[in-house]
Amino acid sequence: DTGVSQNPRHKITKRGQNVTFRCDPISEHNRLYWYRQTLGQGPEFLTYFQNEAQLEKSRLLSDRFSAERPKGSFSTLEIQRTEQGDSAMYLCASSGGLAGGMDNEQFFGPGTRLTVL
Amino acid sequence: AQSVAQPEDQVNVAEGNPLTVKCTYSVSGNPYLFWYVQYPNRGLQFLLKYITGDNLVKGSYGFEAEFNKSQTSFHLKKPSALVSDSALYFCAVRLMDTGRRALTFGSGTRLQVQP
């Protein structure tokens, strides 16, 4: 039983560069979420997919951020023209696809830690 | 808007003693409530949830939480703490009966269990 996986685990980049992260959810889950966590804070919601449809987006998701889930399986989160304020842990979670619709809890991956220099 | 407050940044307890980690919430409707635990260099792990039914919810590793609607609280408890329970604990909420699935998290409480 594999959980949610994220790659890379760590990314160091220079300000102004573009970065892309990947998330592979639990295989039977149809819902996928992205959160951002900064030091000393709880995770903050960024966006949510049901299958390939992006159904919710936070105001935190500026124009420089884009997320995709083209085939309803893995997802990518891209940040263009990175800024130092983008430095954070980016968490992916998945849920759903269980009998009876009891998919309320989200299962989180280990995260990708982004450092923007 | 929905929000979660965890009023204690850190809770210290001796091994074998009972522990409580506090959480209060604010939502404009009925809540789904969750507790997650985060160990260093690891992702968030689900502990337990309140959806409907009994106000006392039992979860993983001997943890339980009590939903109190009048006090809008969902405190995490364990009768006897272990050193291995030392970690960062997050309370989260989302609205019931809506299509929205975003979780709103508190800022976390660090639990330190001393041997």
Side-chain angles (χ1 to χ4, degrees):
Chain A
D1 177 31
T2 57
V4 178
S5 62
Q6 294 186 246
N7 288 289
R9 294 292 304 275
H10 303 273
K11 179 70 177 179
I12 300 174
T13 191
K14 293 182 179 179
R15 189 177 54 185
Q17 298 294 304
N18 299 345
V19 294
T20 300
F21 310 141
R22 176 178 169 129
C23 171
D24 288 88
I26 293 171
S27 57
E28 65 266 28
H29 284 178
N30 61 347
R31 297 187 174 100
L32 187 147
Y33 312 79
W34 286 99
Y35 290 82
R36 180 174 69 184
Q37 185 178 20
T38 54
L39 199 62
Q41 299 297 319
E44 297 173 293
F45 172 76
L46 293 177
T47 191
Y48 148 59
F49 291 85
Q50 179 166 315
N51 300 312
E52 64 274 10
Q54 190 172 17
L55 297 184
E56 253 184 279
K57 290 172 66 173
S58 162
R59 286 175 294 178
L60 291 176
L61 210 68
S62 76
D63 292 345
R64 297 185 297 105
F65 287 68
S66 63
E68 294 182 342
R69 195 182 183 200
K71 297 182 179 179
S73 56
F74 72 91
S75 175
T76 58
L77 177 67
E78 181 183 18
I79 309 174
Q80 295 182 328
R81 305 181 303 281
T82 53
E83 302 173 355
Q84 288 184 326
D86 297 332
S87 295
M89 177 76 84
Y90 290 84
L91 298 170
C92 177
S94 69
S95 74
L98 301 176
M102 295 298 291
D103 66 341
N104 292 292
E105 58 264 40
Q106 297 173 20
F107 295 88
F108 283 79
T112 295
R113 182 170 296 284
L114 172 66
T115 302
V116 182
L117 302 175
Chain B
Q2 53 199 48
S3 64
V4 175
Q6 293 183 242
E8 301 154 318
D9 288 338
Q10 181 156 326
V11 169
N12 298 306
V13 64
E15 187 174 30
N17 283 0
L19 69 88
T20 298
V21 182
K22 295 179 180 177
C23 170
T24 58
Y25 66 91
S26 174
V27 295
S28 54
N30 293 314
Y32 290 142
L33 292 155
F34 305 84
W35 276 102
Y36 285 83
V37 59
Q38 189 172 38
Y39 296 98
N41 300 316
R42 295 176 66 178
L44 290 160
Q45 294 180 32
F46 169 75
L47 275 182
L48 52 77
K49 65 183 177 184
Y50 170 80
I51 304 298
T52 60
D54 289 341
N55 289 341
L56 186 63
V57 177
K58 295 188 183 296
S60 307
Y61 313 119
F63 284 93
E64 58 189 28
E66 187 168 10
F67 171 63
N68 187 316
K69 188 171 184 177
S70 63
Q71 297 186 3
T72 63
S73 67
F74 189 56
H75 301 330
L76 182 70
K77 300 181 180 183
K78 187 173 182 182
S80 178
L82 300 173
V83 173
S84 57
D85 292 331
S86 299
L88 193 54
Y89 290 80
F90 290 97
C91 182
V93 66
R94 79 169 176 92
L95 270 177
M96 194 186 297
D97 302 325
T98 70
R100 299 194 64 232
R101 296 211 165 243
L103 288 176
T104 298
F105 285 84
S107 56
T109 298
R110 185 166 300 282
L111 174 65
Q112 192 69 41
V113 182
Q114 285 113 8

